[in-house]
Amino acid sequence: MFFNTRSAVLQTISSINFINWSFNNPLKAGQAFANQSQYWKDFSKIMNSDYLVDRRNGQKIDINEAEIRNAAATSKNKAKAAINYLLQKGFLPTQIADSFAIALGGATYYRNRIKNLVSQGMSLVDAEKQAMLEFREVAEESQQSSDPSRISQQQASSLGRVILAFANTPMQYGRLTKRAYQDLVNGRGDAKSNISKIIYYTFVQNIFFFFF
């Protein structure tokens, strides 16, 4: 699926999965992205994290924050510039797509969650650890999960691993939509967040992937 730069860039749509209606709402996410120095530092930290190295099947290539920041600074399309930088570092588009989408959206989530936790009285060190744990939880829920507890019995079966390999993410999105609908009907959680999930996972994602 991800054997060219265009399709890898298209995968950045999934970075929206990290937007919420509280500490990482669209405005705050935009502010975090605007701080390019800190943003690319967080991006590099996530890309180099054990979590994403594991998702890349152990593929570990050092990503220098200063280099990727400079690469993005010289381009109007910062996402494409960052992907080109990673290609030069030795990644394949198939390896980039998943990790890049997670780091692109996760960087603002991670930074804004740290600020949110610190404002609640948590120490910076503890806030960074907690933010990384929560970031990983969101990634496992909204991206194609590598966690056996987040896939169905059909997907986990020997036959399912072959037949359903390319349907894992849509099936996860289906479960997220169902859960959001159930929470909305039963008055659980934030109604605005539940409605936005239903609209995004059933409508917006499909539009982007079919028409771009």
Side-chain angles (χ1 to χ4, degrees):
M1 180 178 178
F2 303 116
F3 285 96
N4 57 67
T5 303
R6 179 184 175 278
S7 59
V9 172
L10 183 62
Q11 179 68 3
T12 62
I13 295 169
S14 298
S15 64
I16 302 173
N17 294 339
F18 292 91
I19 299 294
N20 57 37
W21 293 103
S22 55
F23 61 85
N24 195 43
N25 60 49
L27 176 60
K28 291 182 178 179
Q31 291 172 340
F33 181 76
N35 185 351
Q36 286 283 285
S37 179
Q38 184 62 60
Y39 176 82
W40 292 113
K41 186 178 296 184
D42 292 334
F43 177 94
S44 299
K45 181 175 182 177
I46 293 172
M47 284 290 287
N48 290 322
S49 68
D50 291 340
Y51 172 59
L52 287 192
V53 170
D54 287 342
R55 284 182 70 95
R56 295 193 297 268
N57 296 320
Q59 179 74 14
K60 185 175 183 179
I61 300 176
D62 183 56
I63 300 168
N64 184 276
E65 170 265 328
E67 290 180 358
I68 197 168
R69 185 184 66 233
N70 291 336
T74 59
S75 174
K76 292 183 179 180
N77 189 330
K78 299 185 184 302
K80 187 174 182 178
I83 286 178
N84 288 334
Y85 164 83
L86 294 175
L87 286 170
Q88 293 171 7
K89 294 293 287 185
F91 282 91
L92 296 174
T94 48
Q95 297 167 337
I96 288 177
D98 177 67
S99 290
F100 187 83
I102 291 174
L104 191 73
T108 63
Y109 180 97
Y110 174 70
R111 181 52 45 188
N112 283 329
R113 184 53 173 158
I114 290 173
K115 291 180 179 179
N116 177 253
L117 291 170
V118 169
S119 70
Q120 296 175 19
M122 186 177 289
S123 69
L124 179 59
V125 173
D126 289 340
E128 289 177 342
K129 292 179 180 178
Q130 182 63 30
M132 185 60 74
L133 287 173
E134 293 183 15
F135 145 77
R136 178 169 178 166
E137 183 75 12
V138 173
E140 281 293 313
E141 184 177 70
S142 58
Q143 302 295 122
Q144 181 168 312
S145 181
S146 58
D147 185 347
S149 68
R150 292 189 177 277
I151 61 178
S152 67
Q153 291 183 346
Q154 290 86 353
Q155 289 170 276
S157 68
S158 298
L159 185 60
R161 289 175 184 175
V162 177
I163 297 177
L164 301 176
F166 297 100
N168 283 349
T169 303
M171 290 175 75
Q172 284 178 219
Y173 286 171
R175 288 194 291 272
L176 286 172
T177 302
K178 179 182 177 182
R179 187 188 310 160
Y181 175 76
Q182 290 173 333
D183 288 345
L184 181 64
V185 171
N186 293 290
R188 294 190 295 262
D190 177 51
K192 183 166 58 174
S193 295
N194 288 326
I195 292 172
S196 67
K197 286 181 180 179
I198 294 171
I199 294 174
Y200 176 68
Y201 289 121
T202 59
F203 184 64
V204 178
Q205 271 269 354
N206 289 321
I207 286 180
F208 276 119
F209 275 99
F210 277 110
F211 292 99
F212 287 89

